[in-house]
Amino acid sequence: MSPMTPARVTGTPGRTRVLIVGGGITGLAAAHRLREHLGPDAEIIVAEQAMRLGGKIHTVDFAGRPVETGAESLLAARPEAIDLAEAVGLGDAIVYPSAAKPALSLGGELLDFPAGHMMGIPGDPADVAAIANAKERPDNGLPILEPGADMSVGALVRSRLGDEVLDRLVAPMLGGVYAGDVDRLSVRAVMPQLASALERHARLTDAVNEIKRPPSDGPRKPVFATVDGGLERLVTATSASARAEIRLGMTVRELRQTPYGWEVIAGPVPDPIKITADAVILAVPAKPAAELLRGVEPQAAAALSGVAYASVALAAFAFDQIDLPERSGFLTPASEGKTVKAATFASKKWPHLGRRFQIVRVSMGRLGEEALLQYDDTTLAKTALRELGEHLGQRLPEPVEQRIDRWGGALPQYSPGHGARIAAAREALAAHPNIAIAGAAVDGVGIAACIASGQQAADTIAASVEPARREQ
């Protein structure tokens, strides 16, 4: 065989083979769901470019405790992440945060983040009067959004409640989640429930009040959760339960449709391999997904290639002695002129971490600030430590341990019309049998959203390959 001729890896006759490109939680959730659908005989391959699974979930030993260097928690307010954890045997390991509330850092002072809001948008302007002037502008009596229409979060909030609510409340909240520009983020993509309510209301506050969590006679369930021992346990347990063939360090470079299914060229350039499969799920960021789809379905490739990404840097510090307020952390507006946009007082927020050390995670970087990641670790750590002290109003001691993690191109940015573009991409892909796209690039950020996206892709693929499998 010529050195340039890829070795061929074919499936076992009579067995369905599915190739999942991407070993983050999206791809692993897809593999787990496929195993449930297709049974023990199906061949499920997960090809991951990195030398570890998990993507942006990465737990490390830090100051003797399992600390997240990427995604910090699960959204417990929706079921997918908790349900998956329970399905893979981690139900007893689910832990919840303390009752400590986040603060807003303004002018060197930590203020209570107002209650009664949705992503910083108040249901009653009076609730945020201490922070921002939030008088609602007159409306024309017509619903704010026509069915299917979209607009930016910035345009919505600025036109209805003014600049201060947008800059001091909404932008910090969305900056913490997306590291993005509110004038370039789609209402329908980042707040789909609100977008639906806007089709029925002429006043923004009325739409917010329609969908805010209803009051309960008992204690409210926590919005967030994590796994005792680290979120990487969810990655490991899901992978084990899926019983997939995991191929680390494998880059999928080409994707081709054949009369018999799909064929990919993967692996290192000097020694590639050719893998055949009945179906393919692309669970990778937008750019590599678009590259693979360019020769298969140009419309889908174009939709994905238009998704921009923001980069962030995270600093973690462990202190022997430090006076932290009884809060879960803080957010700060970009108008404050700080590199640090948010901090989590991890040892205050998560009781299971204990109090041997005070652990603080600091987030830096917004859309357009990619140059920040080029600074060396020492410079980033000094900046984070100095600004953290300014936010807390104290000179901080030297940490007993610190680390810097960079996440280049970590957070997709959903510009207005994102949902319609992705729907059109999926419709175009439907003309090609047994291929699906999934992940944060298409269906939303956060572990729960990625799990739901992977499971939906798996459901779609299983429904299309099972009839053919029964005919064999």
Side-chain angles (χ1 to χ4, degrees):
M1 178 180 296
S2 165
M4 299 302 294
T5 303
R8 181 179 292 275
V9 179
T10 57
T12 303
R15 287 188 175 186
T16 298
R17 167 180 278 192
V18 181
L19 174 67
I20 299 171
V21 185
I25 195 61
T26 303
L28 295 175
H32 180 267
R33 180 63 68 89
L34 281 171
R35 182 61 68 197
E36 291 180 336
H37 281 307
L38 302 180
D41 292 335
E43 296 181 359
I44 302 170
I45 300 174
V46 176
E48 168 55 46
Q49 181 178 9
M51 294 307 297
R52 65 171 185 85
L53 294 172
K56 295 171 187 66
I57 297 176
H58 189 206
T59 309
V60 299
D61 184 292
F62 182 74
R65 302 301 300 155
V67 172
E68 309 302 337
T69 68
E72 183 203 25
S73 59
L74 310 170
L75 183 61
R78 57 183 293 176
E80 295 89 356
I82 299 297
D83 288 352
L84 178 61
E86 291 175 346
V88 298
L90 294 178
D92 292 340
I94 298 295
V95 291
Y96 297 95
S98 69
K101 302 298 183 185
L104 186 67
S105 180
L106 284 175
E109 185 179 1
L110 294 184
L111 307 174
D112 291 338
F113 206 100
H117 67 87
M118 179 187 181
M119 295 300 285
I121 306 174
D124 183 347
D127 290 340
V128 301
I131 303 291
N133 176 14
K135 184 177 180 180
E136 189 156 16
R137 311 288 169 81
D139 63 84
N140 59 10
L142 299 175
I144 296 172
L145 277 185
E146 295 182 1
D150 201 0
M151 66 191 305
S152 74
V153 175
L156 171 68
V157 178
R158 188 181 290 110
S159 65
R160 300 287 167 160
L161 293 170
D163 288 336
E164 284 195 353
V165 171
L166 179 66
D167 296 339
R168 293 188 168 195
L169 295 167
V170 180
M173 286 289 291
L174 290 177
V177 177
Y178 296 96
D181 178 350
V182 289
D183 287 312
R184 297 170 63 182
L185 286 175
S186 153
V187 171
R188 201 167 287 278
V190 304
M191 290 182 272
Q193 285 183 298
L194 178 62
S196 178
L198 292 174
E199 296 176 1
R200 297 184 289 275
H201 294 282
R203 294 173 62 84
L204 176 55
T205 52
D206 289 344
V208 170
N209 285 317
E210 178 189 316
I211 59 176
K212 277 195 320 185
R213 301 175 74 198
S216 171
D217 294 335
R220 287 186 174 182
K221 293 182 179 180
V223 176
F224 298 102
T226 191
V227 176
D228 193 3
L231 288 172
E232 210 159 302
R233 292 185 63 195
L234 178 62
V235 171
T236 302
T238 303
S239 174
S241 183
R243 301 188 305 285
E245 179 183 341
I246 305 296
R247 298 197 174 193
L248 298 177
M250 175 174 281
T251 301
V252 175
R253 304 183 183 281
E254 295 180 43
L255 174 65
R256 304 168 185 162
Q257 187 175 356
T258 74
Y260 311 103
W262 294 93
E263 184 175 84
V264 303
I265 305 299
V269 173
D271 190 24
I273 61 173
K274 186 180 291 184
I275 302 175
T276 61
D278 300 292
V280 172
I281 294 176
L282 299 182
V284 289
K287 184 177 179 180
E291 290 293 334
L292 291 172
L293 288 173
R294 207 170 303 281
V296 174
E297 182 48 65
Q299 182 177 348
L304 287 167
S305 64
V307 178
Y309 279 77
S311 301
V312 296
L314 296 174
F317 301 105
F319 299 97
D320 195 9
Q321 295 290 335
I322 183 177
D323 183 22
L324 287 177
E326 291 299 324
R327 299 182 185 273
S328 62
F330 66 79
L331 299 167
T332 192
S335 57
E336 291 290 293
K338 302 288 189 184
T339 300
V340 169
K341 65 178 183 179
T344 300
F345 306 151
S347 46
K348 296 279 189 183
K349 182 176 181 178
W350 300 107
H352 71 283
L353 291 178
R355 294 294 180 95
R356 171 62 184 88
F357 294 109
Q358 294 289 325
I359 298 173
V360 180
R361 284 184 11 134
V362 172
S363 177
M364 299 171 282
R366 299 176 178 88
L367 184 66
E369 297 179 354
E370 287 75 17
L372 176 72
L373 273 67
Q374 303 306 314
Y375 291 114
D376 59 50
D377 286 4
T378 300
T379 300
L380 281 175
K382 284 183 177 179
T383 300
L385 195 62
R386 173 178 52 80
E387 290 196 5
L388 179 61
E390 292 170 356
H391 284 293
L392 295 176
Q394 57 182 284
R395 183 178 177 83
L396 299 180
E398 283 296 313
V400 297
E401 192 169 337
Q402 66 184 38
R403 67 175 287 139
I404 297 290
D405 290 279
R406 295 170 176 78
W407 294 96
L411 296 168
Q413 306 295 296
Y414 309 123
S415 59
H418 172 83
R421 291 189 293 272
I422 295 303
R426 284 184 161 135
E427 184 176 352
L429 280 176
H432 306 269
N434 302 342
I435 186 167
I437 53 176
V442 292
D443 290 322
V445 301
I447 294 172
C450 287
I451 289 171
S453 181
Q455 291 172 338
Q456 178 186 353
D459 292 344
T460 299
I461 292 299
S464 62
V465 301
E466 280 188 312
R469 190 163 63 102
R470 286 195 294 267
E471 292 172 5
Q472 292 177 351

